[in-house]
Amino acid sequence: MTLIKSISGIRGTIGGATGDNLTPIDAVKFAAAYGTWLKSYSKKEKLTVVIGRDARLSGEMIQNLVVSTIIGLGIDVLDLGLSTTPTVEIAVPLEHADGGIILTASHNPKQWNALKLLNEKGEFLDGEQGKKILEIAQQGTFDFAAVDDLGSVTQNNSYMDIHVEEVLKLDLVDKGTIEKAGFKVVVDGVNSSGGIAIPKLLDALGVETVKLYCEPTGHFPHNPEPLKEHLQDICDLVIKEKADLGIVVDPDVDRLAFISNTGEMFGEEYTLVACADYVLSKTPGNTVSNLSSTRALPDITHRHGGVYAAAAVGEVNVVAKMKATRAVIGGEGNGGVIYPASHYGRDALVGTALFLMLMAEKACSVAELRASYPSYFMSKKKIQLTPDLDVDGVLETMYQKYQEEQTSTVDGLKIDFPENWVHLRKSNTEPIIRIYTEAQSQDKADALANRFIKEIQEVAGL
């Protein structure tokens, strides 16, 4: 069992020993640390925090603990109940709230849960803010409110509907265009809140929907990470139903994957590529993804006359780079679409609407659309090193070896070759270097990864 404390929040498994797992005591401690930080950061006399959760089995328990802790600090709570990560992100500025907490472990299995922390813009905290909260939690000294100064709780269970309304208000989303296309779509909601939110959106867009695992029971029917090896059921159902496509989301609905009409994966990396293709065709501009994302996005960006920029891995880093470059769309290759015209957060509802608009305008099948994009293949491996090894030194040696190539040291070491690339990233918690490669075939991507594993072993003397 595990408890992971990071600048983006606290994540862990339910049950077990305090300090080693996400126990009720740990949930209270970190909620108190966030609330304490928020009071000093905002300096307003009365604060409000928006709180929502996915459908995990532990969700209601953790939410009760967190809500009680926040009101115990004298902060009001807007309780959204069952919700999604992007829904909470949208609610914070709409409600003029001072922060938000999302209770979800994203794509992790059901034994996990987490507290994801937002600022007054509904965006994830930056590194310095997250570090300060960890320090407050470590100190463990909190000043709770007197009985007359306790916060209040207001419940609002309508925010997934409000989220859908906000998507329909976007200039690049037209209900009539999508409805006229007559799409039939299969949805895998992994028995979490996406099983409610995505069908609500599709219904509002006039799309015929076939539901698969859309009951928010928290009993995930398969590994909740939307990868090919976990999604055979929806691939089969798309073919059986003769559907135009399948839509898959993770438990908190910030990652989005598509299944083509042939029952094949569209490719998580290509979710952002397709959405960017549509947005750039209407609003030319710049794009951003992280260093480990597909080269197809810069290809499409350049095709539309825009400029592509790469950010360090992590949503907060992508958002910062998007703001700096005034990107019109960006995100991560894990199916995370960030569209600033809506908000600065990964949002599967926004991504779904943009993708359907693209499909309606292209009037082609999903399989044909995928074939129209540059075809790249990824390999993701890692190499275990000895605990006493200087990992930074190994990466520096590799940089010196390849400094004549196009390189980036923003996040580990990325080497862009003419036909492929490799990204080497060290783990912050264990002596591991993660090796990501992309090439024009799976065999070439795997071969490139294996080549770098051997080179790193030689440098490290393994």
Side-chain angles (χ1 to χ4, degrees), residues 230-448:
H230 309 147
L231 301 176
Q232 192 59 52
D233 288 354
I234 187 171
C235 291
D236 292 341
L237 191 56
V238 166
I239 294 173
K240 180 182 177 182
E241 292 287 340
K242 296 185 170 124
D244 295 290
L245 73 152
I247 294 175
V248 184
V249 293
D250 64 340
D252 70 323
V253 204
D254 63 355
R255 288 175 62 175
L256 174 64
F258 297 115
I259 311 298
S260 79
N261 53 296
T262 60
E264 300 293 325
M265 294 292 295
F266 187 76
E268 251 195 326
E269 289 286 335
Y270 284 82
T271 297
L272 175 57
V273 173
C275 291
D277 188 19
Y278 173 66
V279 170
L280 292 171
S281 72
K282 305 296 183 183
T283 52
N286 303 329
T287 66
V288 173
S289 64
N290 68 42
L291 285 162
S292 291
S293 297
T294 180
R295 189 176 276 183
L297 181 61
D299 288 350
I300 292 298
T301 304
H302 299 153
R303 184 186 297 176
H304 286 284
V307 176
Y308 167 80
V313 173
E315 182 173 334
V316 67
N317 299 317
V318 173
V319 166
K321 180 66 75 171
M322 288 179 68
K323 291 179 178 180
T325 61
R326 298 183 179 178
V328 295
I329 191 168
E332 298 182 287
N334 60 8
V337 177
I338 302 173
Y339 185 44
S342 176
H343 64 113
Y344 278 106
R346 298 183 303 182
D347 191 330
L349 277 76
V350 169
T352 294
L354 296 176
F355 188 84
L356 290 174
M357 284 297 298
L358 177 68
M359 291 300 304
E361 290 201 351
K362 292 271 189 181
C364 66
S365 71
V366 175
E368 290 169 336
L369 177 67
R370 177 64 180 81
S372 72
Y373 294 132
S375 190
Y376 297 108
F377 298 82
M378 279 194 178
S379 179
K380 299 180 181 182
K381 300 190 177 185
K382 61 185 178 181
I383 179 170
Q384 184 78 40
L385 307 173
T386 57
D388 58 343
L389 192 68
D390 179 8
V391 180
D392 289 327
V394 171
L395 292 177
E396 174 62 24
T397 300
M398 296 298 292
Y399 168 72
Q400 293 296 332
K401 181 176 181 179
Y402 288 99
Q403 61 180 317
E404 298 302 317
E405 303 289 345
Q406 183 178 337
T407 60
S408 171
T409 56
V410 168
D411 183 6
L413 172 62
K414 184 173 183 180
I415 309 165
D416 270 294
F417 300 105
E419 299 296 325
N420 48 47
W421 57 257
V422 59
H423 188 196
L424 310 175
R425 298 182 68 233
K426 73 170 186 176
S427 168
N428 292 323
T429 58
E430 52 188 332
I432 283 175
I433 291 179
R434 302 188 188 279
I435 302 167
Y436 305 90
T437 62
E438 185 176 65
Q440 293 175 336
S441 74
Q442 192 62 56
D443 287 343
K444 289 179 180 179
D446 291 337
L448 182 62

Side-chain angles (χ1 to χ4, degrees), residues 86-101:
T87 303
V88 177
E89 291 171 345
I90 281 176
V92 171
L94 283 179
E95 294 291 332
H96 305 289
D98 304 285
I101 302 175

